[in-house]
Each structure stands twice: as C-alpha cells, then as structure tokens.
Amino acid sequence: NTTRLEGILAAMADESAARELGCHEAMRACFQLFLIESVRLMAHQIPGPRPDLCATDCAMESLRMYLDENYSVRLTLAHIAEKVNLSPNYLCRIFKRYTGRTVFQYLMQRRIEAAILQLTTTNDKVISIAYDCGFDDITHFNRTIRRLVGTTPREYRKRIHDSRRG
C-alpha cells in the first residue's frame, strides 16, 4: 500500500526536521521499514508464487538485529555463532555474503554509529561514551574516531556544537 510508504517517508521527514535526541536512529528505523514495505509491495505485484526468505537469510537478519541491540557487549565469534546455531567458519562466510562485511566489521560500524550519536547529542565524557559503545580501550576509540572523521572525539564534538550555534 503506497499510503503506508508515504506515512513512513513523512515520519522520516518529521524526524529530520525536528533534530531531537535519537533522530538519526529513528530515521534509520524508518528507512528500514520503508525498504521492507517497498519489497512487500513489489512482491504483491509480481505474479506467481512468492518464495519465502530462506532460513540462512532469516538467521542472518536475526543475528544482525542481535548485534544492533548488543553492540556494547563484549562478544566472541563462538558466542555469536552459537546464537544462530552455525559453525563460526560458516557464519563468517554467510554473514559477509548477507551484509558485505565481516561480523566484527559490522559490529565496529554499529559501535562507531552509536558513539557518534552520543558525541553529538550528549555531554557525556568521551571515555564514558567509549565504554558505553563497547570499546575497551580509549586510545583505540580515539584512533578509530580520528581515522573516520579526521579529528579526535572531543574536537569532533566541539566542531558539531559550534556549527549548531552559528
């Protein structure tokens, strides 16, 4: 139903305009809903039997959601593989095929996204943000942020706050 798609797009636009705490996460969630609803809409328009999502895709989506919710926790490959009842080697292959990234690249990206969100929306100490987002080492956190945004987390925060003021 295109009305549902329009509603999701309107919600994304509202979140973008409001720029309230958590707006990036809300827009990301809306975008995922938009993609799901788009595929559903297209599937209903294709004649013939609709193939169901295969079991490995379901397992990978379930795992991706688990990683999204537990990015701040120390996770091992054995624990992650056990979560979806797959061997670690097979999990690595199919997760990379499903997402285009390794399990730990995906996890690191999720941690960085959460850290950037906290840096831009809170006044929490940088070290607290690092630990909250699953980094065990503040030096590694600082280096990672510097590599991605070109400055230290503290400088990045200052630059964002200054750009919002002026």
Side-chain angles (χ1 to χ4, degrees):
N1 184 330
T2 56
T3 306
R4 178 135 170 83
L5 290 175
E6 290 167 359
I8 295 168
L9 286 174
M12 282 178 65
D14 291 346
E15 286 292 335
S16 178
R19 302 302 257 176
E20 291 184 26
L21 179 65
C23 69
H24 296 289
E25 294 297 321
M27 288 189 306
R28 184 175 291 112
C30 286
F31 183 66
Q32 287 176 337
L33 276 175
F34 179 80
L35 292 176
I36 291 166
E37 290 298 324
S38 297
V39 169
R40 287 177 179 168
L41 182 63
M42 287 181 359
H44 288 294
Q45 294 173 351
I46 298 172
R50 294 187 325 217
D52 289 331
L53 208 55
C54 75
T56 54
D57 283 352
C58 288
M60 291 304 95
E61 185 58 20
S62 173
L63 178 58
R64 192 191 60 73
M65 290 169 53
Y66 175 79
L67 294 174
D68 284 350
E69 293 169 7
N70 295 282
Y71 62 86
S72 63
V73 179
R74 178 182 285 275
L75 298 170
T76 65
L77 185 57
H79 171 79
I80 294 168
E82 185 179 304
K83 196 83 178 138
V84 288
N85 290 329
L86 297 172
S87 74
N89 288 339
Y90 184 61
L91 167 65
C92 289
R93 281 196 313 274
I94 63 172
F95 191 84
K96 179 143 188 177
R97 191 177 327 133
Y98 185 75
T99 65
R101 287 169 268 166
T102 67
V103 172
F104 289 103
Q105 285 171 337
Y106 184 89
L107 195 56
M108 181 57 70
Q109 177 185 345
R110 185 64 188 92
R111 287 175 174 163
I112 294 295
E113 288 171 352
I116 294 292
L117 180 64
Q118 285 188 38
L119 284 169
T120 58
T121 59
T122 73
N123 290 320
D124 295 349
K125 292 183 178 184
V126 171
I127 194 165
S128 296
I129 292 172
Y131 292 136
D132 286 350
C133 293
F135 287 88
D136 294 333
D137 179 0
I138 188 67
T139 305
H140 179 241
F141 176 72
N142 285 333
R143 261 190 261 126
T144 302
I145 296 293
R146 180 185 285 270
R147 183 173 36 87
L148 293 172
V149 299
T151 64
T152 66
R154 192 168 276 110
E155 292 166 347
Y156 176 76
R157 174 185 269 165
K158 183 179 180 332
R159 188 174 72 204
I160 294 298
H161 286 285
D162 289 348
S163 71
R164 287 183 181 163
R165 282 188 213 127

